[in-house]
Amino acid sequence: EDQVTQSPEALRLQEGESSSLNCSYTVSGLRGLFWYRQDPGKGPEFLFTLYSAGEEKEKERLKATLTKKESFLHITAPKPEDSATYLCAVQTTSGTYKYIFGTGTRLKVLA
Amino acid sequence: NAGVTQTPKFRVLKTGQSMTLLCAQDMNHEYMYWYRQDPGMGLRLIHYSVGEGTTAKGEVPDGYNVSRLKKQNFLLGLESAAPSQTSVYFCATLVGWGNEQFFGPGTRLTVL
């Protein structure tokens, strides 16, 4: 069964304290892996798409990487405004139009 | 350009009542999705549509019906609401398979 697991569930960082969020997946075949940011009371907002192992994408303080079994979202020198829930989703090559979401990591960055 | 909009934003229902949630998009996207989000459960797919006039079941379709009579609108119906349907509902669109989804702001539904 296709599955996406995110860890940790919650993470508290001091401003400037770098860390990584993990998204591990077990799927029959990976078409794409997606990272979203979700602020309280709002819909998820797209951050990155990764398609193949070894691929990396960067945006400001965020960097996403992909291996054959997992993806990491690295946060460098975070600021309080980076506080949000980060969601990971995968799309498989099984021929359907469905996306499988993880349960997310709630990040809190303290000033 | 509003993107994806959802109506209403909040709603409180009594058990057994019915209602329809509306998702509208102005991006001319083919694919539209309805998810529910519950604490600790992540986003779960209810129904989706790959084009006007088409619908398909997702992971948790029981108790819900959908219609896509016009390309820009995707309606989610609850015929007889139950407390287990208390959740936040998100609509999403997709320009094409393999691309990112665009999400609406959500509808917070409480069933008493």
Side-chain angles (χ1 to χ4, degrees):
Chain A
E1 181 184 347
D2 297 328
Q3 197 168 359
V4 176
T5 303
Q6 291 188 247
S7 62
E9 286 187 17
L11 182 63
R12 290 166 68 94
L13 299 173
Q14 289 295 132
E15 185 173 4
E17 180 186 2
S18 301
S19 188
S20 297
L21 313 182
N22 178 263
C23 172
S24 62
Y25 59 91
T26 306
V27 297
S28 50
L30 180 71
R31 181 176 178 89
L33 186 141
F34 303 82
W35 281 99
Y36 291 86
R37 169 191 171 126
Q38 186 175 22
D39 293 301
K42 296 189 176 181
E45 181 181 345
F46 171 74
L47 291 173
F48 303 109
T49 309
L50 301 165
Y51 292 108
S52 57
E55 190 175 359
E56 299 182 351
K57 295 273 181 74
E58 283 189 71
K59 180 180 179 180
E60 296 181 356
R61 294 176 293 282
L62 300 177
K63 179 180 177 180
T65 61
L66 180 66
T67 72
K68 289 186 177 180
K69 293 183 178 181
E70 58 192 349
S71 176
F72 292 94
L73 185 64
H74 306 278
I75 304 177
T76 302
K79 297 182 178 181
E81 53 262 43
D82 295 322
S83 297
T85 295
Y86 291 86
L87 302 173
C88 169
V90 301
Q91 190 183 35
T92 71
T93 56
S94 62
T96 68
Y97 299 93
K98 302 177 187 177
Y99 292 72
I100 305 166
F101 280 83
T103 54
T105 293
R106 295 190 311 277
L107 175 65
K108 177 74 173 177
V109 182
L110 305 172
Chain B
N1 216 5
V4 181
T5 59
Q6 293 184 232
T7 309
K9 288 184 170 52
F10 302 93
R11 185 74 185 267
V12 178
L13 290 178
K14 294 181 179 179
T15 297
Q17 287 185 317
S18 64
M19 77 163 295
T20 300
L21 282 67
L22 170 65
C23 176
Q25 54 115 347
D26 61 3
M27 298 178 287
N28 203 36
H29 288 174
E30 290 292 337
Y31 310 126
M32 297 186 75
Y33 300 76
W34 275 109
Y35 292 93
R36 60 177 290 172
Q37 188 175 42
D38 303 291
M41 301 288 288
L43 283 161
R44 291 183 293 169
L45 182 63
I46 304 171
H47 286 279
Y48 63 102
S49 168
V50 300
E52 181 179 310
T54 74
T55 63
K57 293 181 179 180
E59 180 186 355
V60 288
D62 294 342
Y64 305 94
N65 56 75
V66 287
S67 65
R68 184 110 180 259
L69 299 179
K70 294 182 179 180
K71 185 176 184 179
Q72 62 267 37
N73 295 336
F74 195 27
L75 279 65
L76 178 71
L78 287 73
E79 291 187 347
S80 179
S84 60
Q85 294 177 304
T86 294
S87 187
V88 181
Y89 292 86
F90 288 101
C91 174
T93 70
L94 183 68
V95 63
W97 192 27
N99 294 296
E100 69 273 18
Q101 294 180 305
F102 293 85
F103 285 84
T107 294
R108 185 173 294 275
L109 175 66
T110 301
V111 183
L112 302 175

